[in-house]
Amino acid sequence: MPGAIYAEGLVKTFGDVRALDGVDLDVPQGTVLGLLGPNGAGKTTTVRCLTTLLRPDSGTAVVAGLDVLRQPDAVRRSIGLSGQFAAVDEYLTGRENLQMVGQLYQMSARAARARAGELLEQFHLTEAADRPAKTYSGGMRRRLDLAAALVVSPPVMFMDEPTTGLDPRNRQQLWDVIKQLVSDGTTLLLTTQYLEEADHLAHEIAVVDHGRVIAKGTSDQLKARTGGERVELVVHERDRIQDASGVLRGFGKGEVTVEEHTRKLTVPVTGGAKLLAEVIRELDARGVEIDDIGLRRPTLDDVFLSLTGHVAEATDEDNGQKAGRAAQDRRRRKETTK
């Protein structure tokens, strides 16, 4: 039986651009799927197709047991969505924004007020609750937008880069909220620019590139697929980077990655601590002074680099979708849930 979020063969084109090229997903109930990919990979387009904001050209999509194409209104009543851009009404207060969303979902005025109060406290917005949203900082608007997505405690949630613009403390608070939601049975599809976030929250991770899922598994499974350990060192003098690189190539099992600005070099290896000692001896023999050296397991950054050929980007401007997202998300929230 398919999971709470299921997609098979999703295709979406924008003119000559094939944003989705057969995306397949299956997210079991009560779990978190982290969707990772470089700019233009198709992450946000996937989310918008699954949440009825875009109609795929072909393929199957089922959310909360409902067919996205045949039952879009029922799907909207069963999901929460926090898009890439905060979709709040700037001229309403934080409290009024949340009450409005509750009443659009046909909650009574009293219930909407009570729920708004709970969420304002949960997201640490109580002191600013009665100020217009246009006076909020970017991080505060982001938290208000996330609170609005949770007004009706939906069984399925979609969060598109939810912690962008949040400071570390607020990011951690949101992570705690997400963990509580999932422990209560909510299913979550999360796209994120922070690989640490996917590592921390996701039960399973899907890597998307050029509109297709190119790898899927737990964080540990993906790291194991990348293979081995990494020797990572920082050269004391920039002009000795090439000498250090030559040493690492002699011990490595892959390409040496060089970050010129930080003087850091990394190479995949096998052999553990014994090999690390040999590397240090060889560097010393060649007179290459280092500031730091260590042996570490692969990270999701390494996975990302090995699978896509480049590092994760800070934002996702999915193909053909660079404008109008906030306005569309706002219109979605104002649709009545009949």
Side-chain angles (χ1 to χ4, degrees):
M1 176 178 287
I5 303 172
Y6 177 79
E8 182 177 355
L10 283 187
V11 173
K12 182 64 183 177
T13 59
F14 300 98
D16 295 332
V17 177
R18 198 172 180 86
L20 301 183
D21 189 23
V23 169
D24 299 324
L25 298 172
D26 193 355
V27 188
Q29 182 177 350
T31 66
V32 180
L33 175 69
L35 203 60
L36 304 181
N39 284 355
K43 304 187 300 295
T44 295
T45 301
T46 298
V47 168
R48 295 175 73 78
C49 285
L50 292 171
T51 56
T52 77
L53 293 174
L54 284 175
R55 185 178 181 88
D57 300 329
S58 61
T60 300
V62 178
V63 175
L66 302 163
D67 189 290
V68 171
L69 297 178
R70 293 201 296 262
Q71 300 166 284
D73 290 339
V75 169
R76 293 182 193 119
R77 288 194 292 269
S78 302
I79 65 173
L81 168 64
S82 176
Q84 275 192 5
F85 304 99
V88 299
D89 190 317
E90 294 187 344
Y91 294 96
L92 297 180
T93 66
R95 191 185 309 278
E96 289 168 343
N97 266 284
L98 298 181
Q99 290 178 192
M100 176 188 70
V101 173
Q103 291 185 277
L104 288 174
Y105 276 100
Q106 300 183 348
M107 296 172 67
S108 69
R110 181 177 180 179
R113 281 196 302 272
R115 181 60 175 155
E118 293 171 2
L119 289 166
L120 289 165
E121 183 174 356
Q122 185 176 16
F123 283 88
H124 305 278
L125 291 169
T126 303
E127 291 184 5
D130 298 309
R131 283 168 37 196
K134 66 180 179 181
T135 68
Y136 285 17
S137 68
M140 292 170 68
R141 292 189 194 195
R142 194 65 178 140
R143 282 182 279 153
L144 181 61
D145 181 71
L146 292 166
L150 298 173
V151 165
V152 293
S153 301
V156 178
M157 275 289 302
F158 294 86
M159 293 185 176
D160 196 3
E161 299 189 2
T163 59
T164 298
L166 297 185
D167 60 38
R169 184 171 69 90
N170 285 320
R171 187 176 300 134
Q172 182 62 56
Q173 289 171 348
L174 178 60
W175 288 359
D176 293 340
V177 170
I178 290 173
K179 288 179 181 177
Q180 185 59 53
L181 283 171
V182 176
S183 69
D184 291 340
T186 299
T187 304
L188 173 63
L189 189 151
L190 169 80
T191 78
T192 178
Q193 60 175 285
Y194 302 111
L195 299 185
E196 176 195 6
E197 188 162 82
D199 212 351
H200 191 76
L201 295 174
H203 296 90
E204 194 167 40
I205 295 168
V207 181
V208 182
D209 200 18
H210 295 100
R212 300 186 68 87
V213 176
I214 60 172
K216 189 174 180 181
T218 66
S219 176
D220 285 341
Q221 287 170 343
L222 291 176
K223 291 173 185 176
R225 174 173 172 171
T226 304
E229 299 165 305
R230 301 294 190 271
V231 168
E232 190 171 86
L233 64 86
V234 177
V235 178
H236 182 67
E237 297 177 350
R238 194 178 304 277
D239 59 6
R240 301 305 302 272
I241 286 177
Q242 291 305 315
D243 295 329
S245 181
V247 171
L248 292 184
R249 277 196 298 272
F251 291 96
K253 299 298 182 181
E255 293 296 320
V256 178
T257 302
V258 179
E259 296 180 14
E260 293 277 353
H261 63 292
T262 59
R263 309 186 310 282
K264 184 169 74 174
L265 294 83
T266 306
V267 68
V269 298
T270 57
K274 181 178 179 181
L275 179 134
L276 183 62
E278 293 175 3
V279 172
I280 293 171
R281 282 195 294 269
E282 183 64 22
L283 289 166
D284 186 58
R286 297 198 188 188
V288 178
E289 187 177 353
I290 58 175
D291 290 339
D292 192 20
I293 190 168
L295 191 69
R296 63 168 176 80
R297 293 185 60 209
T299 65
L300 281 181
D301 286 284
D302 298 318
V303 172
F304 205 95
L305 180 62
S306 67
L307 290 172
T308 68
H310 42 87
V311 297
E313 302 289 350
T315 59
D316 182 75
E317 292 292 349
D318 269 356
N319 297 323
Q321 297 295 294
K322 291 187 177 180
R325 288 180 184 151
Q328 289 186 32
D329 288 344
R330 192 176 296 115
R331 287 196 295 271
R332 174 193 62 79
R333 283 197 177 138
K334 290 186 178 179
E335 289 181 9
T336 56
T337 54
K338 299 179 182 178

